[in-house]
Amino acid sequence: MDFDRCVPIGVLLLLFPLLSATAEEMTSTFVIGGARIDVTIDARKLDVPQAELMRWVKSAAESVTAYYSRFPVPHLALRIASFEGTGVRHGQTFGRDGGLITISVGNKTPPAQLAEDWMLTHEMAHLAFPSVERNHHWMEEGLSTYVEPIARIRAGHWTARQMWMDLVRDLPKGLPEEGDKGLDNTHTWGRTYWGGALFCFLADVEIRRQTNNQKGLEDALRGILNAGGDIREDWTLEDALKAGDRAAGVDVLVKQYEKMKNQPVNVDLAALWKELGVESDGRTIYFREDAPLAAIRRAITNGAAATSQGAEAVARPLTIFAGRTAGRL
């Protein structure tokens, strides 16, 4: 799947530096969130230190584990290739071999730029949803687009202010344009990624409205995952959404899908930002704590327990225990 664009959890991390790799490859293994991640790095032209690459992988794995309360699959093979230049490109996620991600890192990427990367977290989020029919690609991509920044906040690797600023800027890209025929039938870039993200955002808000902010989209998605719905499995989208509604205890996902799948649905985002207490001057974001849905905004950011004023200011990192042994992907 391409996209070229917190409550602390105890996590056991075992880093196995270098095993029987060739001169062109470096290998390491993490055990995190109850899962093993085997990483293989194409080191032929990659000047980025292996320690920095491992820190990047660990950060992404922590983020997804924080959001889903566990890593989505028992075993992941992660293959890191290199290209001339800087940045991260060409992330793809597959269900074969128990879970496989391929991704490329520029050979001159500075550590600070790698630390800011969102793409690997996006790809790991794909692991936590079943494979669905091609016309539902918007759900797979939109879900990862929406979950990625929240997961990073929950793990202490991103800021709420930056996330909301990005949502205010980018969610309008997912609104229907003239000629739109609904999410299942309109396969533009904007409707696939940001239309799907808009679906998830609206569902998150509505689940929290109907449960008095006791549950959110993550509860629905954890329910899907815990019912066996990860990327290794082929499900219908309807079955996945029904499992999510059962887990959340409210009938939101199926009804919203019925409404949005075959027809354009316009959303007054400006009114919704006002209700959530999100204000932008084009340069930064301001939060209004007296807004009617301010508690929902805080819960989206940091979880249902984080509803007190100012909770978005600090996202606590995961608790990590480290050890050493030997190998990776």
PDB file of all heavy atoms in Angstrom, residues 147-159:
ATOM      1  N   VAL A 147      -4.882   7.712  11.670  1.00  0.00           N
ATOM      2  CA  VAL A 147      -4.341   7.115  12.903  1.00  0.00           C
ATOM      3  C   VAL A 147      -2.890   7.517  13.143  1.00  0.00           C
ATOM      4  O   VAL A 147      -2.471   7.720  14.291  1.00  0.00           O
ATOM      5  CB  VAL A 147      -4.472   5.576  12.848  1.00  0.00           C
ATOM      6  CG1 VAL A 147      -3.602   4.905  13.908  1.00  0.00           C
ATOM      7  CG2 VAL A 147      -5.928   5.174  13.024  1.00  0.00           C
ATOM      8  N   GLU A 148      -2.102   7.660  12.073  1.00  0.00           N
ATOM      9  CA  GLU A 148      -0.644   7.875  12.215  1.00  0.00           C
ATOM     10  C   GLU A 148      -0.269   9.010  13.163  1.00  0.00           C
ATOM     11  O   GLU A 148       0.493   8.801  14.111  1.00  0.00           O
ATOM     12  CB  GLU A 148      -0.021   8.077  10.831  1.00  0.00           C
ATOM     13  CG  GLU A 148       1.398   8.599  10.836  1.00  0.00           C
ATOM     14  CD  GLU A 148       1.463  10.099  10.668  1.00  0.00           C
ATOM     15  OE1 GLU A 148       0.789  10.616   9.768  1.00  0.00           O
ATOM     16  OE2 GLU A 148       2.197  10.761  11.439  1.00  0.00           O
ATOM     17  N   PRO A 149      -0.770  10.253  13.000  1.00  0.00           N
ATOM     18  CA  PRO A 149      -0.329  11.309  13.916  1.00  0.00           C
ATOM     19  C   PRO A 149      -0.822  11.101  15.340  1.00  0.00           C
ATOM     20  O   PRO A 149      -0.118  11.429  16.304  1.00  0.00           O
ATOM     21  CB  PRO A 149      -0.908  12.590  13.292  1.00  0.00           C
ATOM     22  CG  PRO A 149      -2.053  12.122  12.458  1.00  0.00           C
ATOM     23  CD  PRO A 149      -1.665  10.772  11.954  1.00  0.00           C
ATOM     24  N   ILE A 150      -2.042  10.550  15.498  1.00  0.00           N
ATOM     25  CA  ILE A 150      -2.557  10.300  16.843  1.00  0.00           C
ATOM     26  C   ILE A 150      -1.707   9.255  17.543  1.00  0.00           C
ATOM     27  O   ILE A 150      -1.367   9.392  18.728  1.00  0.00           O
ATOM     28  CB  ILE A 150      -4.023   9.844  16.778  1.00  0.00           C
ATOM     29  CG1 ILE A 150      -4.889  10.931  16.138  1.00  0.00           C
ATOM     30  CG2 ILE A 150      -4.544   9.497  18.164  1.00  0.00           C
ATOM     31  CD1 ILE A 150      -6.324  10.508  15.881  1.00  0.00           C
ATOM     32  N   ALA A 151      -1.346   8.204  16.826  1.00  0.00           N
ATOM     33  CA  ALA A 151      -0.499   7.156  17.405  1.00  0.00           C
ATOM     34  C   ALA A 151       0.843   7.733  17.845  1.00  0.00           C
ATOM     35  O   ALA A 151       1.361   7.389  18.918  1.00  0.00           O
ATOM     36  CB  ALA A 151      -0.287   6.037  16.384  1.00  0.00           C
ATOM     37  N   ARG A 152       1.411   8.615  17.053  1.00  0.00           N
ATOM     38  CA  ARG A 152       2.698   9.219  17.407  1.00  0.00           C
ATOM     39  C   ARG A 152       2.572  10.102  18.645  1.00  0.00           C
ATOM     40  O   ARG A 152       3.477  10.156  19.486  1.00  0.00           O
ATOM     41  CB  ARG A 152       3.247  10.006  16.217  1.00  0.00           C
ATOM     42  CG  ARG A 152       3.653   9.104  15.052  1.00  0.00           C
ATOM     43  CD  ARG A 152       3.969   9.910  13.817  1.00  0.00           C
ATOM     44  NE  ARG A 152       5.191  10.675  13.976  1.00  0.00           N
ATOM     45  CZ  ARG A 152       5.535  11.720  13.237  1.00  0.00           C
ATOM     46  NH1 ARG A 152       4.710  12.142  12.284  1.00  0.00           N
ATOM     47  NH2 ARG A 152       6.672  12.344  13.433  1.00  0.00           N
ATOM     48  N   ILE A 153       1.455  10.803  18.777  1.00  0.00           N
ATOM     49  CA  ILE A 153       1.223  11.604  19.982  1.00  0.00           C
ATOM     50  C   ILE A 153       1.109  10.706  21.203  1.00  0.00           C
ATOM     51  O   ILE A 153       1.713  10.973  22.251  1.00  0.00           O
ATOM     52  CB  ILE A 153      -0.049  12.456  19.831  1.00  0.00           C
ATOM     53  CG1 ILE A 153       0.152  13.546  18.780  1.00  0.00           C
ATOM     54  CG2 ILE A 153      -0.439  13.096  21.164  1.00  0.00           C
ATOM     55  CD1 ILE A 153      -1.125  14.256  18.389  1.00  0.00           C
ATOM     56  N   ARG A 154       0.349   9.624  21.077  1.00  0.00           N
ATOM     57  CA  ARG A 154       0.135   8.724  22.224  1.00  0.00           C
ATOM     58  C   ARG A 154       1.458   8.134  22.725  1.00  0.00           C
ATOM     59  O   ARG A 154       1.595   7.793  23.891  1.00  0.00           O
ATOM     60  CB  ARG A 154      -0.817   7.595  21.828  1.00  0.00           C
ATOM     61  CG  ARG A 154      -2.181   8.068  21.321  1.00  0.00           C
ATOM     62  CD  ARG A 154      -3.181   8.286  22.403  1.00  0.00           C
ATOM     63  NE  ARG A 154      -4.462   8.728  21.858  1.00  0.00           N
ATOM     64  CZ  ARG A 154      -5.511   7.939  21.655  1.00  0.00           C
ATOM     65  NH1 ARG A 154      -5.432   6.645  21.934  1.00  0.00           N
ATOM     66  NH2 ARG A 154      -6.634   8.443  21.181  1.00  0.00           N
ATOM     67  N   ALA A 155       2.427   7.985  21.820  1.00  0.00           N
ATOM     68  CA  ALA A 155       3.735   7.434  22.201  1.00  0.00           C
ATOM     69  C   ALA A 155       4.735   8.526  22.575  1.00  0.00           C
ATOM     70  O   ALA A 155       5.881   8.223  22.895  1.00  0.00           O
ATOM     71  CB  ALA A 155       4.297   6.599  21.056  1.00  0.00           C
ATOM     72  N   GLY A 156       4.320   9.790  22.524  1.00  0.00           N
ATOM     73  CA  GLY A 156       5.224  10.874  22.893  1.00  0.00           C
ATOM     74  C   GLY A 156       6.167  11.297  21.805  1.00  0.00           C
ATOM     75  O   GLY A 156       7.192  11.932  22.078  1.00  0.00           O
ATOM     76  N   HIS A 157       5.838  10.993  20.538  1.00  0.00           N
ATOM     77  CA  HIS A 157       6.737  11.302  19.427  1.00  0.00           C
ATOM     78  C   HIS A 157       6.225  12.417  18.517  1.00  0.00           C
ATOM     79  O   HIS A 157       6.835  12.691  17.480  1.00  0.00           O
ATOM     80  CB  HIS A 157       6.981  10.040  18.589  1.00  0.00           C
ATOM     81  CG  HIS A 157       7.597   8.917  19.353  1.00  0.00           C
ATOM     82  ND1 HIS A 157       8.705   9.080  20.151  1.00  0.00           N
ATOM     83  CD2 HIS A 157       7.255   7.597  19.453  1.00  0.00           C
ATOM     84  CE1 HIS A 157       9.022   7.920  20.706  1.00  0.00           C
ATOM     85  NE2 HIS A 157       8.161   7.009  20.309  1.00  0.00           N
ATOM     86  N   TRP A 158       5.128  13.065  18.860  1.00  0.00           N
ATOM     87  CA  TRP A 158       4.566  14.128  18.036  1.00  0.00           C
ATOM     88  C   TRP A 158       3.769  15.046  18.943  1.00  0.00           C
ATOM     89  O   TRP A 158       3.560  14.739  20.113  1.00  0.00           O
ATOM     90  CB  TRP A 158       3.680  13.530  16.939  1.00  0.00           C
ATOM     91  CG  TRP A 158       3.355  14.421  15.769  1.00  0.00           C
ATOM     92  CD1 TRP A 158       2.113  14.750  15.311  1.00  0.00           C
ATOM     93  CD2 TRP A 158       4.271  15.068  14.886  1.00  0.00           C
ATOM     94  NE1 TRP A 158       2.204  15.551  14.195  1.00  0.00           N
ATOM     95  CE2 TRP A 158       3.519  15.764  13.917  1.00  0.00           C
ATOM     96  CE3 TRP A 158       5.671  15.123  14.821  1.00  0.00           C
ATOM     97  CZ2 TRP A 158       4.097  16.519  12.894  1.00  0.00           C
ATOM     98  CZ3 TRP A 158       6.254  15.863  13.799  1.00  0.00           C
ATOM     99  CH2 TRP A 158       5.480  16.551  12.855  1.00  0.00           C
ATOM    100  N   THR A 159       3.334  16.186  18.439  1.00  0.00           N
ATOM    101  CA  THR A 159       2.625  17.141  19.275  1.00  0.00           C
ATOM    102  C   THR A 159       1.186  17.319  18.795  1.00  0.00           C
ATOM    103  O   THR A 159       0.900  17.276  17.599  1.00  0.00           O
ATOM    104  CB  THR A 159       3.314  18.514  19.259  1.00  0.00           C
ATOM    105  OG1 THR A 159       3.182  19.094  17.957  1.00  0.00           O
ATOM    106  CG2 THR A 159       4.790  18.378  19.624  1.00  0.00           C
TER     107      THR A 159
END
